[in-house]
Amino acid sequence: MKNILIPTDFSENSWNAITYALQFFKKITCSFHLLHVSTYDEVLRSDLFYNSKDTLVNKIEHTEKEQLQVLLKRIEKLPLNTKHRFYTLTEQVFLVDAIRKQVEEKEIDFIVMGTKGASGLKERTIGSNTGDVITKVKCPVLVIPEKAKYRRPKEIAFPTDYNIYYRSKVLSTLSDIIAINDARFRVVHVAKKEQKLTHLQKKNKEFLNDYLGDETEHSFHSLSNPNIEEAIQCFVESRDIDMIAMVAKNLNFFQRILFHPTIEKISYHTDIPFLVLHE
């Protein structure tokens, strides 16, 4: 059984993440934990702040629990898997702290989060809350962009520069995702300019190939472009990629692809789900 944590702020964006998760894990026995977190900023801005702290917290908790029940009723209207169970959680702490706590207590296997992408002056392709969870919580995160609609991930891209050795924990999770979806795995070496692989890069590539073996349909590709994001965009379009998987270890490479400021012709951030893995 898998334990899935889905943070929700009751927006349509977070609803999109919920519906995607239900489809993505539809063949698996799962417990879905729906978590709403009231940050301290939200409490301070609340119209209820005129009252005592205890009363304020009680009122906020009461309202949140009502909203979570409404959310559960909305979920019940969907064609559900009888092997899926749903639980609700509320926290009044910082988001990352709340998620870390639930990951440990509920032995969470995956976090699923919606993201609205770039907004306002920040111009970040991944929202700040989702970005914080991706980089600060050591748990696989499935990021669902606002325009992403579920379709079985038949083609999964795995951008890499071959400079890091992927441990069995990461590869085991990837293998599970590939097997569940009967997907094809496309390893994409991305570099700013065309050059031969170093001895270390060759060894890491060979290890990856050996691990995937004959049981997993996979292929290796090489792209060179001064703009890494453009290279990924071209690959996504040419191969009709359904999901991008990455490891949050080589931060420079990882952040270039996932957190780069918005570029008009780069659209994979808005409609392609990301699976971010940690060692």
Side-chain angles (χ1 to χ4, degrees), residues 159-161 188-192 221 223-225 228 231-232 253 257:
T160 179
D161 57 8
V188 192
H189 174 239
V190 187
K192 290 186 177 181
H221 308 263
L223 302 174
S224 58
N225 190 318
I228 293 176
I232 296 297
F253 181 77
I257 293 175

Side-chain angles (χ1 to χ4, degrees), residues 62-271:
H62 182 71
T63 303
E64 288 171 347
K65 288 175 181 177
E66 288 178 344
Q67 288 178 296
L68 284 167
Q69 289 307 307
V70 170
L71 180 60
L72 282 178
K73 289 179 180 178
R74 188 177 183 186
I75 290 172
E76 287 171 0
K77 294 178 181 178
L78 300 173
L80 299 176
N81 183 338
T82 55
K83 294 181 179 179
H84 287 172
R85 295 288 180 268
F86 298 90
Y87 304 91
T88 60
L89 305 161
T90 60
E91 293 280 359
Q92 276 88 34
V93 294
F94 294 110
L95 179 67
V96 169
D97 293 336
I99 290 178
R100 279 181 181 147
K101 175 186 173 185
Q102 296 304 328
V103 165
E104 183 177 349
E105 290 183 358
K106 304 297 188 301
E107 298 182 343
I108 297 298
D109 298 293
F110 288 91
I111 301 165
V112 182
M113 291 190 73
T115 181
K116 291 196 70 170
S119 61
L121 298 175
K122 292 182 179 179
E123 291 191 345
R124 294 182 63 176
T125 50
I126 296 293
S128 58
N129 283 340
T130 307
D132 284 343
V133 173
I134 287 171
T135 55
K136 297 176 182 177
V137 180
K138 302 297 183 184
C139 180
V141 183
L142 186 55
V143 181
I144 312 301
E146 57 184 327
K147 295 182 182 178
K149 299 301 176 188
Y150 178 80
R151 62 176 183 174
R152 181 173 67 84
K154 295 176 287 186
E155 295 277 339
I156 299 176
F158 185 67
T160 179
D161 57 8
Y162 294 133
N163 280 322
I164 62 174
Y165 171 83
Y166 297 115
R167 299 185 183 278
S168 57
K169 179 181 177 182
V170 165
L171 297 179
S172 176
T173 303
L174 277 173
S175 295
D176 286 347
I177 295 298
I178 294 167
I180 290 167
N181 294 283
D182 191 23
R184 295 175 287 275
F185 194 60
R186 310 304 181 190
V187 182
V188 192
H189 174 239
V190 187
K192 290 186 177 181
K193 60 182 180 180
E194 191 172 345
Q195 55 189 13
K196 291 183 179 180
L197 297 179
T198 65
H199 177 68
L200 175 65
Q201 287 175 313
K202 287 179 181 177
K203 283 186 67 176
N204 289 335
K205 179 181 178 181
E206 289 169 4
F207 175 78
L208 193 55
N209 186 44
D210 290 341
Y211 186 94
L212 294 169
D214 296 330
E215 295 181 2
T216 301
E217 184 177 345
H218 65 282
S219 57
F220 291 86
H221 308 263
S222 182
L223 302 174
S224 58
N225 190 318
N227 188 308
I228 293 176
E229 302 86 341
E230 285 186 6
I232 296 297
Q233 181 66 36
C234 289
F235 189 80
V236 165
E237 292 176 356
S238 65
R239 303 293 306 206
D240 197 21
I241 295 298
D242 303 301
M243 179 175 288
I244 299 173
M246 293 195 70
V247 179
K249 185 174 181 181
N250 186 337
L251 289 180
N252 185 39
F253 181 77
F254 170 71
Q255 291 180 351
R256 278 292 304 273
I257 293 175
L258 201 56
F259 295 108
H260 197 276
T262 305
I263 300 172
E264 219 172 281
K265 52 189 169 182
I266 306 299
S267 64
Y268 62 80
H269 295 94
T270 63
D271 49 27

Side-chain angles (χ1 to χ4, degrees), residues 19-57:
T19 57
Y20 190 99
L22 295 182
Q23 286 284 89
F24 187 76
F25 296 104
K26 64 184 176 183
K27 296 180 180 179
I28 304 172
T29 301
C30 293
S31 289
F32 291 94
H33 302 270
L34 307 173
L35 170 67
H36 178 71
V37 179
S38 293
T39 65
Y40 290 127
D41 285 344
E42 289 173 336
V43 172
L44 291 172
R45 291 197 305 267
S46 171
D47 292 336
L48 298 171
F49 196 62
Y50 62 83
N51 227 321
S52 69
K53 181 180 177 183
D54 289 342
T55 305
L56 170 64
V57 171

